[in-house]
Amino acid sequence: MTKIKLSILDQSIVRTGATPQEALQETIETAKLADKLGFHRFWLSEHHNSKFIAGSAPELLLSRLGAETQKIRLGSGGIMLPNHSAFKVAENFRTLEALYPNRIDLGMGRAPGGDRVSAYLLNPSNTFKEEDYLTQLEHLQHFFGDTAGTDKGRVYAIPQVKSIPQQWILSSSGGSAKIAAEMGMGLSVAKFINGPVSPEVVKEYRKLFKASETLKSPKAFVSVFLMCGETEEIAANMRKYIEYILLQFERGNFQNYPEFSEIKKYEFSEGERELLQRNSGRIVSGTKESVKTQLEELAADFEVDEVMISTMSYSKELRLRSFELVAEAFDLKPES
């Protein structure tokens, strides 16, 4: 079996009783740990209008993470492109590439990363139309290639650097996979958002892939929530926490959650259990031996050599230990 690369998606979760400052500091600590353990990438999500998630500006936090780490690739998972000017995104990520050459990933999505109101406030010209998203992606290539121009002359995204960030398209259902293939970009399959997503998404992506200046052959990975504990009981508690949180997300509640002691006593209704079962593919949990097997099977099903994991936990210590256990299971080593 091909050796699996493991990566991390971090969302800067604000636990009950904690502060956003503490959440951001934990993200920094997690990135340093991931670099030390030998994880391949460390990505940050973009979310808005949620007191539970402090990660609203990945491009800013990435600048700090680059200074705190040595080897690991750093990126966005993703920049929600319709929220932004493509020109400014190009300048932000060229700046990061200039600071940390050949370590920067630009993962992009078209979801708002929050509600429609906050999306409108971020970009009042946002139409939420796919054709506008495609236009933004095309403009981005011109900015990275120094080929953008208007009737008033050439437009350059500054600073100009020789290397270009790796570009990835996020997809949870398959539609965006076709965009990634057509534009010659990498594909990140968000199984942590859509549990039933099929491996056919990656097969179709590879079938339709067209080589680009920045990517000559198709490249894909899949991402899931992962809860790894020293014991099955710890892993089960961690899983119940994330299941409770995801149910709140389904209801549109993105803040004000109880302490885990209350969540632990919570009994899911029959309807909630049915929903959790339908979405069970979003989560991998268990001891390190169990999650290793599950991740290997997941990688084999999707025919990828990389899996990205995201871990929410009611305990910082258990969350960081979860990453350590996974690294132990796969015998990760820092990349040379």
Side-chain angles (χ1 to χ4, degrees):
M1 176 181 289
T2 303
K3 184 174 177 61
I4 298 173
K5 297 175 183 176
L6 291 178
S7 300
I8 293 174
L9 172 65
D10 188 287
Q11 296 166 307
S12 301
I13 297 302
V14 184
R15 294 186 189 84
T16 303
T19 66
Q21 291 91 336
E22 289 172 326
L24 294 174
Q25 287 299 320
E26 184 175 330
T27 291
I28 296 170
E29 185 176 346
T30 306
K32 292 167 69 173
L33 178 66
D35 191 37
K36 175 183 175 182
L37 292 175
F39 282 87
H40 184 55
R41 305 177 202 275
F42 191 86
W43 278 16
L44 303 175
S45 65
E46 176 190 334
H47 287 276
H48 303 282
N49 202 23
S50 169
K51 295 178 182 178
F52 182 64
I53 303 175
S56 63
E59 65 275 29
L60 291 179
L61 193 48
L62 285 171
S63 185
R64 172 66 181 273
L65 296 187
E68 296 281 357
T69 56
Q70 301 295 323
K71 302 286 187 181
I72 196 167
R73 294 195 65 88
L74 302 168
S76 57
I79 290 293
M80 300 296 105
L81 199 53
N83 291 340
H84 308 281
S85 152
F87 182 52
K88 189 56 180 172
V89 170
E91 291 198 321
N92 286 341
F93 277 80
R94 270 195 155 180
T95 299
L96 289 168
E97 185 68 20
L99 290 170
Y100 312 110
N102 302 308
R103 288 181 60 200
I104 300 300
D105 298 334
L106 171 53
M108 295 169 283
R110 55 179 168 174
D115 54 66
R116 287 289 184 106
V117 174
S118 56
Y120 171 77
L121 292 172
L122 285 162
N123 180 9
S125 64
N126 187 354
T127 64
F128 302 95
K129 294 180 180 177
E130 181 175 316
E131 53 264 36
D132 290 341
Y133 175 58
L134 294 174
T135 297
Q136 283 189 293
L137 288 170
E138 291 171 0
H139 287 172
L140 200 59
Q141 306 321 301
H142 287 299
F143 293 134
F144 281 141
D146 293 323
T147 58
T150 70
D151 57 358
K152 299 184 185 299
R154 190 66 61 86
V155 177
Y156 296 103
I158 303 299
Q160 288 181 286
V161 288
K162 293 181 179 179
S163 56
I164 296 174
Q166 281 189 16
Q167 295 180 71
W168 296 79
I169 296 293
L170 281 57
S171 179
S172 61
S173 59
S176 292
K178 295 177 182 178
I179 296 173
E182 287 290 326
M183 302 200 73
M185 297 181 184
L187 175 67
S188 172
V189 181
K191 192 172 173 64
F192 74 101
I193 293 176
N194 179 23
V197 66
S198 167
E200 292 300 318
V201 168
V202 176
K203 291 181 181 178
E204 186 71 4
Y205 160 73
R206 291 199 174 104
K207 177 182 175 182
L208 298 175
F209 183 83
K210 297 178 182 178
S212 65
E213 287 295 318
T214 56
L215 190 62
K216 302 305 180 185
S217 58
K219 201 168 188 176
F221 66 78
V222 61
S223 52
V224 291
F225 284 118
L226 183 136
M227 314 292 137
C228 187
E230 297 272 9
T231 66
E232 289 291 353
E233 181 181 3
I234 292 173
N237 284 338
M238 293 175 73
R239 183 172 185 122
K240 184 165 186 180
Y241 176 79
I242 185 65
E243 288 179 333
Y244 178 89
I245 297 299
L246 294 179
L247 282 174
Q248 302 311 305
F249 286 179
E250 292 277 348
R251 297 180 176 125
N253 176 20
F254 295 95
Q255 44 241 335
N256 302 321
Y257 305 136
E259 296 280 358
F260 178 67
S261 58
E262 295 300 313
I263 294 174
K264 186 176 182 180
K265 293 184 290 186
Y266 184 84
E267 293 189 12
F268 297 123
S269 68
E270 183 177 345
E272 288 173 333
R273 286 195 297 271
E274 290 176 359
L275 182 59
L276 290 172
Q277 182 58 38
R278 288 199 299 272
N279 286 303
S280 60
R282 300 170 71 178
I283 307 170
V284 168
S285 65
T287 58
K288 67 179 184 181
E289 294 81 8
S290 174
V291 299
K292 182 176 190 290
T293 299
Q294 293 175 70
L295 291 180
E296 288 175 338
E297 290 174 349
L298 179 64
D301 287 345
F302 280 80
E303 297 181 26
V304 296
D305 65 356
E306 181 177 351
V307 177
M308 180 171 281
I309 59 177
S310 181
T311 302
M312 293 185 193
S313 175
Y314 53 91
S315 161
K316 171 185 170 181
E317 290 71 28
L318 289 180
R319 178 174 177 271
L320 296 181
R321 183 56 182 153
S322 178
F323 294 130
E324 291 175 341
L325 290 169
V326 174
E328 290 173 11
F330 283 87
D331 193 27
L332 295 189
K333 297 288 189 300
E335 297 183 15
S336 58

